Amino acid sequence: MTTFSMYTASIPVFKQILNSLHAILEKAEAHAAEKKIDPNALLQFRLFPDMLPFTRQIQIACDFAKGAAARLGGLEVPSYEDSEMTFAELKARIVKTLAYIDSVPQASIEGSEERAITTGSGEKTKHFTGQTYLFHYAFPHFFFHATTAYDILRHNGLDIGKKNFIGTY
Amino acid sequence: MTTFSMYTASIPVFKQILNSLHAILEKAEAHAAEKKIDPNALLQFRLFPDMLPFTRQIQIACDFAKGAAARLGGLEVPSYEDSEMTFAELKARIVKTLAYIDSVPQASIEGSEERAITTGSGEKTKHFTGQTYLFHYAFPHFFFHATTAYDILRHNGLDIGKKNFIGTY
């Protein structure tokens, strides 16, 4: 039986949705192959010209998950290059992100609700407590990019539904 | 100073995003008026023919917020008719939802992490603890619909950005 804690409120939620995105990427990759769609038609698709393309949505969702795990755990945020060009590479980034957030010791995240957390630098510096950061910043940004990735594929006809996004937990 | 609790992990987060959606609806309404766009072109827009239209996305986001507030608080979930046809009516639904979730006593939500929560009926019945329900079910569904509402307006050229979604907290 888990108890209510910053750990149970954070890592398993990121894992749930990252696993969903991984499965959705599998479906998108198979769909593109089957329909002979240029993968870039999906990977580089934007819902509007000044929005970020699909690939960036996945990269940034991963970044909010690893950033939250690291900051709540009091660790330095690992830096990932944004070099993914294929579905396979995006899946690998999710796998790497999942491995990282699983590697952050539960004990380092427990009790982080009042930990002072700083993001950005210069004029963009933001100060949070652990709980404000997780619930008002990391979650909204993470779900925003994860859902937008889903919406891009859905808009392009991929046969997925909300169940694929919610996944298993 | 707030402490970490089921209340601080839930109600203020729903309020943050519902307030953002309210402000975004204001912008969409003004945009439609200014550009002489039929409001239904936005209100009934779907990102794909078998997806739900904008109006339903807002209604359902409200439902997950009020459902979570009620269930975590051990109260009966209030039922709202899904009769909104205009931006003004959708804004009113958000205002009503905000008033409701604010009316749930903080003390009734505190300590709800292990409360047994049931959703659905018949074959669709799901059993949760309070924390599993909030983090793995209510939040993902809520953010899914809130973000999709944003994405629909963004896709239709409304001049908003992620800041409008994240809002203030």
Side-chain angles (χ1 to χ4, degrees), chain B:
Chain B
M1 198 73 186
T2 55
T3 53
F4 183 51
S5 72
M6 284 296 283
Y7 190 85
T8 59
S10 59
I11 303 304
V13 180
F14 291 120
K15 286 170 69 174
Q16 171 188 351
I17 303 299
L18 289 172
N19 278 317
S20 293
L21 291 177
H22 190 277
I24 288 170
L25 280 163
E26 288 273 2
K27 282 180 182 288
E29 187 176 27
H31 173 76
E34 191 197 336
K35 301 283 184 188
K36 304 198 193 306
I37 293 169
D38 176 355
N40 285 322
L42 299 175
L43 292 165
Q44 297 306 323
F45 191 88
R46 304 165 193 263
L47 284 173
F48 201 67
D50 67 351
M51 284 183 82
L52 294 171
F54 178 80
T55 294
R56 288 293 294 139
Q57 304 291 347
I58 296 289
Q59 290 166 340
I60 298 173
C62 288
D63 287 349
F64 278 101
K66 77 172 160 62
R71 290 192 178 98
L72 293 175
L75 305 172
E76 197 168 335
V77 182
S79 175
Y80 293 173
E81 252 189 278
D82 292 324
S83 56
E84 291 83 2
M85 303 288 285
T86 64
F87 285 116
E89 288 168 1
L90 285 179
K91 285 191 293 177
R93 184 179 183 124
I94 291 176
V95 168
K96 184 166 72 164
T97 304
L98 282 166
Y100 175 71
I101 70 175
D102 244 349
S103 78
V104 177
Q106 180 164 350
S108 70
I109 291 181
E110 298 301 14
S112 63
E113 51 264 35
E114 299 296 341
R115 174 168 286 158
I117 287 180
T118 305
T119 66
S121 60
E123 281 184 10
K124 289 198 162 182
T125 304
K126 286 175 191 287
H127 298 283
F128 301 92
T129 62
Q131 65 184 324
T132 307
Y133 167 73
L134 176 61
F135 297 123
H136 293 284
Y137 186 82
F139 270 169
H141 282 273
F142 173 74
F143 280 111
F144 179 89
H145 292 286
T147 304
T148 301
Y150 169 98
D151 282 342
I152 287 172
L153 295 178
R154 196 71 170 72
H155 176 69
N156 282 282
L158 187 66
D159 185 18
I160 49 177
K162 187 166 66 164
K163 270 188 201 171
N164 298 102
F165 180 83
I166 301 297
T168 50
Y169 46 91

Side-chain angles (χ1 to χ4, degrees), chain A residues 14-67:
Chain A
F14 292 120
K15 287 170 69 173
Q16 171 188 352
I17 303 300
L18 288 173
N19 278 317
S20 292
L21 291 178
H22 190 277
I24 288 170
L25 280 164
E26 288 272 3
K27 281 181 181 288
E29 187 177 26
H31 174 75
E34 191 198 336
K35 300 285 183 188
K36 305 197 193 306
I37 294 169
D38 176 353
N40 284 321
L42 300 174
L43 292 166
Q44 298 306 323
F45 191 88
R46 304 165 194 263
L47 285 172
F48 201 68
D50 67 351
M51 285 182 80
L52 294 171
F54 178 80
T55 293
R56 289 293 294 141
Q57 305 290 348
I58 295 288
Q59 288 166 341
I60 297 172
C62 288
D63 286 350
F64 277 102
K66 77 171 160 63

